[in-house]
Amino acid sequence: MRIAFPRNIALAIALLGVGLALNACAATEAPAIINEEEAAFSAGTAIDPPRTLSDFTLPSTVSPTLSLSDLRGKVVLLYFGYTFCPDICPTTLAELVHVKRMLDADADNAAFVLISVDPDRDTPGVLTRYLAAFDPDFIGMSGDDQTLRAIGSDYGLYYERRADLATSADYLVDHSSATYLIDQEGQLRMVYSYGTPPEVIGADVQDLLR
Amino acid sequence: MMSRFIAVLSVLLSILALGACGVTAEPTSAIMISDPWVRAAVVVDAMPEEPTAMSMSQDGAMADEMDHNNAMGSTSAAYMTLRNTGDADDALIGATTDVAATVELHTVERDGDVMRMRPIKQIDLPSNGSAELKPGDYHIMLIGLKQDLQTGDSVTLTLTFQNAAPMTISAAVHQP
Ligand SMILES: [Cu+2]
């Protein structure tokens, strides 16, 4: 059986075929990149004048309880997160490992602290095992709701347990992902967004240690 | 007669144009994967039969006993770039691995400084497009690790797609 297309339609089909094929070509040579969105390179936000932080005490990996004031005399890099987080938290901690390496011998005068916003999962024992994979000197603290609520405004801290998501995990925790620089007197000096290069953070710590 | 000639010409020209850019006519899998890797991670929720000498010797031993009631699993994530070189849209719809109890597709939504990790049904791979799975973005989340994943290890993952045949790949383990 013959199918006789009118001439103009056949011509259109022919051109379309070529067009599609050529189009495929061009796209193959210059593949479209999705998710261009990159973490903005940031120098961090200076807290000026430095903000005096409320003291707090929590169960920790270095002693049954640890207070922020116990770290006076050291420069502190503080991060709120949780061990079940596979992405943002370990990425930040890996960057803090770079910061610590940058400091070299000065690292003795700095403390790296993860405060868990998920104390049900993150007991001091869990935090010890988790942090050892990054740096055994990193300190973990199990934040309880009462304490986190009391100190949250100092940091603009947000966290929320989400048990309503379509995941096999019992729950996930939405949370602030900033890193906080606290000076030797316990005052908040800088806030770094997720993705701030470790070199930027390291240089600020070195400035405080000078 | 003329229309048949043009129709044949169309096919010929299409083949020529396709040939010119190296697209093979054989429809194998149209998905290409590059730089797959899995984040190093340790099993933090020790099983009851293997007591953790390290934590028992510490003052935190009391609190640590709770661990055993809370064996909710340790996690890691796999990252890679997926490229769809075919001319039909596709999507990554799932993955499996022997090293984790569950595997899910996730994304991270950034809302100011707040990060919200969200499970998603699929990661779209438009024709002649690509998707980048990277920290702070799309990832294949491994939930309930069965073993530590150390730098230097490799993890076998089987990826399933809406259209393309499943692909099994090996991903190196390292820190970001
Ligand atoms: Cu995830």
Side-chain angles (χ1 to χ4, degrees):
Chain A
M1 182 176 147
R2 273 200 190 173
I3 301 162
F5 287 118
R7 182 186 293 187
N8 53 351
I9 291 181
L11 188 64
I13 291 170
L15 289 174
L16 191 66
V18 174
L20 282 173
L22 286 172
N23 203 26
C25 239
T28 305
E29 279 154 16
I33 303 295
I34 309 168
N35 298 316
E36 278 280 314
E37 186 192 316
E38 284 290 335
F41 282 114
S42 163
T45 304
I47 305 300
D48 193 22
R51 185 185 304 160
T52 301
L53 296 167
S54 325
D55 198 19
F56 58 87
T57 304
L58 289 169
S60 90
T61 56
V62 289
S63 53
T65 62
L66 184 73
S67 301
L68 179 64
S69 54
D70 294 337
L71 301 172
R72 285 285 152 80
K74 293 191 182 218
V75 172
V76 178
L77 283 168
L78 184 67
Y79 180 76
F80 295 92
Y82 68 120
T83 68
F84 195 79
C85 162
D87 188 71
I88 298 292
C89 307
T91 300
T92 301
L93 289 168
E95 282 168 358
L96 292 179
V97 170
H98 285 287
V99 172
K100 184 166 181 258
R101 265 190 222 130
M102 262 181 82
L103 298 178
D104 206 8
D106 284 343
D108 291 345
N109 299 314
F112 298 80
V113 181
L114 166 67
I115 297 183
S116 174
V117 294
D118 184 9
D120 284 355
R121 287 191 183 109
D122 297 339
T123 60
V126 165
L127 287 167
T128 298
R129 287 189 286 280
Y130 179 76
L131 290 170
F134 294 94
D135 189 308
D137 291 339
F138 282 13
I139 297 168
M141 300 173 90
S142 301
D144 59 78
D145 282 333
Q146 198 188 341
T147 305
L148 293 176
R149 232 176 281 133
I151 66 171
S153 61
D154 280 359
Y155 304 90
L157 174 67
Y158 172 92
Y159 72 102
E160 186 184 6
R161 187 191 277 230
R162 298 294 299 262
D164 57 327
L165 305 172
T167 171
S168 69
D170 292 342
Y171 59 91
L172 302 174
V173 187
D174 296 350
H175 64 92
S176 308
S177 59
T179 299
Y180 304 89
L181 177 67
I182 301 168
D183 67 18
Q184 295 93 325
E185 282 75 51
Q187 295 196 304
L188 181 62
R189 300 292 289 267
M190 297 289 296
V191 180
Y192 305 103
S193 294
Y194 171 79
T196 302
E199 295 74 24
V200 169
I201 300 175
D204 289 348
V205 175
Q206 280 167 334
D207 279 349
L208 286 178
L209 290 174
R210 205 155 282 150
Chain B
M1 196 61 197
M2 183 63 186
S3 61
R4 280 188 71 194
F5 169 72
I6 290 171
V8 170
L9 187 72
S10 154
V11 170
L12 280 175
L13 283 173
S14 298
I15 289 167
L16 280 174
L18 284 168
C21 64
V23 176
T24 55
E26 223 166 87
T28 51
S29 175
I31 308 297
M32 282 173 57
I33 295 170
S34 51
D35 306 322
W37 65 281
V38 170
R39 181 192 298 285
V42 292
V43 175
V44 293
D45 57 338
M47 294 295 125
E49 59 270 22
E50 38 182 278
T52 53
M54 183 167 60
S55 54
M56 292 301 268
S57 66
Q58 288 191 349
D59 302 282
M62 272 282 282
D64 204 41
E65 279 166 21
M66 284 175 60
D67 294 358
H68 306 321
N69 307 323
N70 281 325
M72 288 183 267
S74 305
T75 65
S76 182
Y79 306 94
M80 64 197 68
T81 299
L82 295 155
R83 209 174 290 286
N84 179 1
T85 59
D87 47 15
D89 291 346
D90 209 336
L92 176 66
I93 56 169
T96 55
T97 179
D98 286 343
V99 303
T102 313
V103 182
E104 295 179 1
L105 304 179
H106 283 190
T107 190
V108 177
E109 294 167 5
R110 189 172 185 159
D111 173 9
D113 263 342
V114 178
M115 296 293 189
R116 306 172 192 275
M117 183 165 72
R118 291 290 178 266
I120 48 176
K121 288 207 171 75
Q122 62 181 62
I123 296 173
D124 289 335
L125 300 168
S127 64
N128 295 299
S130 63
E132 200 182 347
L133 280 58
K134 60 173 195 271
D137 209 313
Y138 289 129
H139 56 271
I140 296 170
M141 179 149 167
L142 314 183
I143 299 176
L145 290 186
K146 297 175 183 171
Q147 63 193 71
D148 290 354
L149 303 178
Q150 313 267 19
T151 297
D153 292 351
S154 64
V155 168
T156 302
L157 290 159
T158 299
L159 310 180
T160 47
F161 301 93
Q162 214 158 56
N163 298 318
M167 292 175 78
T168 297
I169 59 163
S170 176
V173 175
H174 58 80
Q175 287 288 0

